[in-house]
Every structure is written in structure tokens, then in C-alpha cells.
């Protein structure tokens, strides 16, 4: 097994030399609104864990950024079930960045950057819970002009389609204007049907189908680096953690009833604020939540709405973090508005991703290697 072990930041505009140790901290009732009492329990160590997904038989599959995928068991992570480390690199913000199963666990998808930096979505068949390497095929590719802001997260929505997050192409300040340009897949959330065509089909109700000058695959746009997004398992609502440029981190929200087409504003806007003299687009959908970098961090890590059963007081709360701060925080969102903000009082280290298990429980991944489960105190 070939595994690279760089523990550099892989999200945000810059790489920060920060080391935030994992602490298994118990939270009492928070003055900031959260009454949940929780602890982070380290259940495994990985080499640069970057993403994960709920797999067959209730198992959680963990991706390591250098290119391996391993299954979490009772005694930690097993041997790799997939190794593409010869096909990717951890240079810049590159690597194996996302994994997902289709709803029937019949196919497994990986999102990674190849050796030239091209974002690539590959598919494998799954039989009896086993990956079938000889069925591998490439579904979609997107060239990246710079080695940062790749996005890379992938999720199946409640509608059974595959959603793909791509950043604006990198550098800083969106020099090519990709966020607001509908003629590129960069700076977007895409929505495709990976098994409906060759190499994929485009759902007929995608918002820009047949619109001149727009890519049919686009579901939403105006995003800088939507590093992590998720669907609420209870409502189907979409939540996106979009990494900011220099001042504002934002979380975007769309209801399950959305027909797509949302413009989240980048690079005319950074959060609710015009960026470098930009003008707010008439169709701008403002973030449901934003925070500035003066006190809470530098790179939002989007999470999940908690729908597990182990922590009753956390039910219905969106759990997220920040790579540079590491504190787990919560939002309660009703009808597209935040009604409560909370601080769980636990420190996850350099939190790079969250994983929602099949039973709704949450795992927290720190780029330094910790795979932890959020448990009741």
C-alpha cells in the first residue's frame, strides 16, 4: 500500500502551519444554545483521512487523501479495499477528496484529482458488499487551472441523483470569473444521473437544461470552494459549507423543494458582503449563516444535520466545524432561517470532514489522522 502522509491544510486559500491536538472533551450545557452533552471518541487512526460514506452492512468507508479507501470495523480500519495512490497526488489541495455509494449500494463512486490535477469521478460496481475493481469506469472529468479549490465532495440526493461539488478553479479571488459563469462546471454544484447514460445522463429537470450558454449539469452556482455539503436525512434540505476568501465563511441552504438554479453569489459576494467592489446579483441567495475570521477560524468544514438516536438533545441540529478552529458547533434552521446557534464544547483538531453513518450517527475526521465518533457524554 502506498500512502503519503502530508498533513497540510487542503481547504481554504492558503495552507496554514497549525497543529490542533484532538481532545476528548465532554460538553456541559452550552451558554450558546446547545444543551447536548457530547464527547468525541477516537475509534481509529488513518493516514490523512479526507472523506467517508455509509456503506453496505452498516459499515463506514473512509477515504485517505493519498488514494486509499478502508472500512471501519470494531478494531479500527481494515486493509485497503481500493488503492489509487499511483494515480493521484497530495500536492496543493489535491488527492482523493470524496466517496459515495448509490442508494442501493450497487455502485461506489470516488472523486479525486489525477496526476495532471484534473478532477475525476469514477464508478465501481459493488456485489455482496464487495468492490469490483475490474468494473471501474470514468463518469466525469473537469480540468482544474490551479491546484486549489478543487471542491471534490460527492453525495447522492434524496432524488437518487449524484451531486458533485467543484470549486471555482483556484488561485485567489476567482481570476477567471468562474463562479458567475454558467458556461463552466467550476464554482458549481452539479446534478447528474451516472447510470442513465454513457458516461452519464442529465436529469431533464435540471435548471439550465437547454439554456444557451449554460452547462446542463449545473444545479447551483456562485460557489468558491464548496468543500463539504450534505442532505438532511430527515427533510432532504441541502446544506453547503463554502470556504471564504479572506473575511467570511458561509453556510448555504436550499429546501428539499428547490428546483435548483440558486446563485450563492461568489465572486460578486463573499457571504452577505460585496467582494472587491462587486455588485450583489439580483438573484443572489444569501447564506443561511456566516461568520468572520476574526475569532472562529479560517475555513468552514460543512457537516450534517444530526438524525441519529444516541444524542437526543442534538436531534435536528446541523453540526459543522472549521479547519483552523476545530470546535464543533451547531445551528438549528427553520424555514431557511437560523433560530439557534450552539457550541458543543468539543475540539476535533484540524477537522477536514464529517461522515454520516447509516444509523445517523456522526464521525469526525481530522487531517492529522483521528477518526472519531460523536457520542453522548
Amino acid at each position: 500500500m502506498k500512502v503519503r502522509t502530508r498533513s497540510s491544510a487542503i481547504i481554504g486559500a492558503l495552507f496554514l502551519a497549525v497543529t490542533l491536538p484532538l481532545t476528548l472533551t465532554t460538553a456541559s450545557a452550552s451558554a450558546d444554545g446547545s444543551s447536548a452533552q457530547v464527547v468525541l471518541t477516537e475509534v481509529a487512526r488513518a493516514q490523512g483521512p479526507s472523506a467517508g460514506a455509509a456503506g453496505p452492512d452498516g459499515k463506514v468507508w473512509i477515504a485517505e487523501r493519498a488514494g486509499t479507501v478502508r472500512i471501519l470495523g470494531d478494531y479500527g480500519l481494515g486493509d485497503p479495499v481500493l488503492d489509487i495512490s499511483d494515480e493521484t497526488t497530495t500536492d496543493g489541495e489535491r488527492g482523493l477528496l470524496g466517496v459515495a455509494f448509490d442508494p442501493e449500494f450497487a455502485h461506489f463512486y470516488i472523486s479525486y484529482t489525477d496526476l495532471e490535477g484534473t478532477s475525476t469521478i469514477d464508478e465501481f460496481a459493488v456485489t455482496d458488499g464487495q468492490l469490483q475493481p475490474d468494473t471501474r469506469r470514468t463518469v466525469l472529468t473537469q480540468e482544474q487551472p490551479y491546484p486549489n479549490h478543487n471542491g471534490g465532495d460527492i453525495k447522492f440526493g434524496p432524488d437518487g441523483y449524484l451531486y458533485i461539488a467543484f470549486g471555482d478553479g483556484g488561485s485567489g479571488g476567482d481570476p477567471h470569473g468562474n463562479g458567475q459563469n454558467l458556461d463552466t462546471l467550476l464554482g458549481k454544484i452539479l446534478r447528474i444521473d451516472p447510470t442513465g447514460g454513457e458516461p452519464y445522463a442529465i436529469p431533464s429537470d435540471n435548471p439550465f437544461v437547454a439554456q444557451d450558454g449554460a452547462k446542463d449539469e449545473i444545479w447551483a452556482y456562485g460557489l468558491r470552494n464548496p468543500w463539504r455539503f450534505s442532505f438532511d436525512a430527515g427533510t432532504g434540505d441541502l446544506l453547503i459549507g463554502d470556504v471564504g476568501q479572506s473575511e467570511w465563511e458561509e453556510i448555504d441552504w436550499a429546501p428539499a423543494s428547490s428546483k435548483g438554479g440558486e446563485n450563492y453569489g461568489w465572486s460578486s459576494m463573499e457571504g452577505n458582503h460585496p467582494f472587491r467592489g462587486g455588485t450583489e446579483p439580483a438573484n443572489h441567495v444569501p447564506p443561511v449563516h456566516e461568520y468572520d475570521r476574526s475569532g472562529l477560524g479560517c475555513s468552514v468544514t460543512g457537516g450534517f444535520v444530526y438524525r441519529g438516536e444516541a444524542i437526543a438533545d442534538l436531534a435536528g441540529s446541523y453540526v459543522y466545524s472549521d479547519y483552523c478552529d476545530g470546535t464543533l458547533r451547531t445551528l438549528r434552521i427553520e424555514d431557511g432561517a437560523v433560530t439557534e446557534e450552539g457550541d458543543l464544547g468539543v475540539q476535533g483538531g484540524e477537522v477536514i470532514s464529517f461522515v454520516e453513518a447509516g444509523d445517523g450517527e456522526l464521525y469526525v475526521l481530522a487531517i492529522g489522522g483521528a477518526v472519531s465518533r460523536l457520542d453522548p457524554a
Side-chain angles (χ1 to χ4, degrees):
M1 177 177 67
K2 300 178 181 178
V3 180
R4 301 174 179 87
T5 58
R6 287 181 60 183
S7 294
S8 58
I10 67 172
I11 48 179
L14 298 174
F15 287 67
L16 304 177
V18 198
T19 301
L20 302 174
L22 176 69
T23 57
L24 302 187
T25 309
T26 300
S28 58
S30 168
D32 295 323
S34 176
S35 60
Q37 297 183 354
V38 303
V39 64
L40 274 178
T41 305
E42 185 172 311
V43 296
R45 300 290 299 182
Q47 298 286 346
S50 56
D57 302 319
K59 300 293 187 180
V60 171
W61 292 38
I62 300 293
E64 295 172 309
R65 185 181 163 211
T68 49
V69 178
R70 302 162 71 189
I71 299 175
L72 181 64
D74 294 337
Y75 302 100
L77 293 170
D79 293 334
V81 296
L82 179 66
D83 185 348
I84 62 161
S85 56
D86 288 339
E87 303 175 49
T88 188
T89 172
T90 56
D91 292 343
E93 297 176 12
R94 295 167 174 163
L96 177 55
L97 305 178
V99 293
F101 284 92
D102 66 17
E104 292 78 31
F105 302 109
H107 298 92
F108 180 64
Y109 296 84
I110 60 174
S111 171
Y112 67 99
T113 51
D114 70 13
L115 295 175
E116 285 71 47
T118 298
S119 290
T120 305
I121 311 297
D122 281 358
E123 175 196 271
F124 298 82
V126 178
T127 303
D128 297 327
Q130 303 294 313
L131 197 70
Q132 305 300 310
D134 59 349
T135 66
R136 182 179 180 181
R137 73 180 185 96
T138 294
V139 176
L140 182 147
T141 62
Q142 170 61 50
E143 292 184 0
Q144 296 281 353
Y146 303 100
N148 61 337
H149 301 183
N150 301 294
D153 203 6
I154 52 177
K155 296 282 192 305
F156 275 85
D159 53 14
Y161 293 129
L162 180 63
Y163 290 72
I164 301 166
F166 283 147
D168 64 6
S171 187
D174 193 10
H176 302 291
N178 290 325
Q180 292 296 304
N181 181 6
L182 293 174
D183 195 25
T184 175
L185 302 183
L186 296 173
K188 314 295 190 295
I189 299 285
L190 314 181
R191 178 185 185 238
I192 65 170
D193 179 358
T195 59
E198 183 59 43
Y200 60 88
I202 296 171
S204 61
D205 59 348
N206 270 12
F208 300 106
V209 167
Q211 177 174 314
D212 289 343
K215 296 290 187 183
D216 294 347
E217 294 92 339
I218 296 172
W219 180 255
Y221 67 108
L223 295 158
R224 180 178 178 274
N225 190 20
W227 168 246
R228 290 293 173 249
F229 70 94
S230 65
F231 292 94
D232 182 344
T235 66
D237 297 344
L238 171 64
L239 291 126
I240 307 165
D242 194 21
V243 180
Q245 172 69 37
S246 56
E247 297 185 24
W248 297 94
E249 301 299 309
E250 72 178 83
I251 293 169
D252 299 306
W253 175 91
S257 60
S258 169
K259 302 301 182 183
E262 287 86 358
N263 178 6
Y264 293 112
W266 178 256
S267 58
S268 297
M269 306 290 289
E270 184 181 10
N272 286 305
H273 313 272
F275 179 72
R276 294 181 180 174
T279 300
E280 182 173 16
N283 63 342
H284 177 221
V285 178
V288 71
H289 181 67
E290 66 173 16
Y291 60 91
D292 66 60
R293 292 184 169 188
S294 62
L296 292 183
C298 75
S299 186
V300 64
T301 301
F304 289 86
V305 175
Y306 179 76
R307 297 295 179 185
E309 296 182 356
I311 312 169
D313 288 338
L314 198 58
S317 291
Y318 177 69
V319 182
Y320 70 102
S321 189
D322 185 288
Y323 178 86
C324 298
D325 172 79
T327 300
L328 268 59
R329 294 186 167 85
T330 62
L331 301 174
R332 285 194 178 271
I333 301 171
E334 296 181 9
D335 298 324
V338 172
T339 59
E340 183 180 290
E341 299 180 37
D343 182 338
L344 290 177
V346 292
Q347 164 54 245
E350 294 168 306
V351 177
I352 205 70
S353 194
F354 290 82
V355 185
E356 183 180 45
D359 60 3
E361 302 304 327
L362 297 184
Y363 291 79
V364 181
L365 307 183
I367 196 62
V371 178
S372 304
R373 187 178 59 240
L374 192 61
D375 288 335

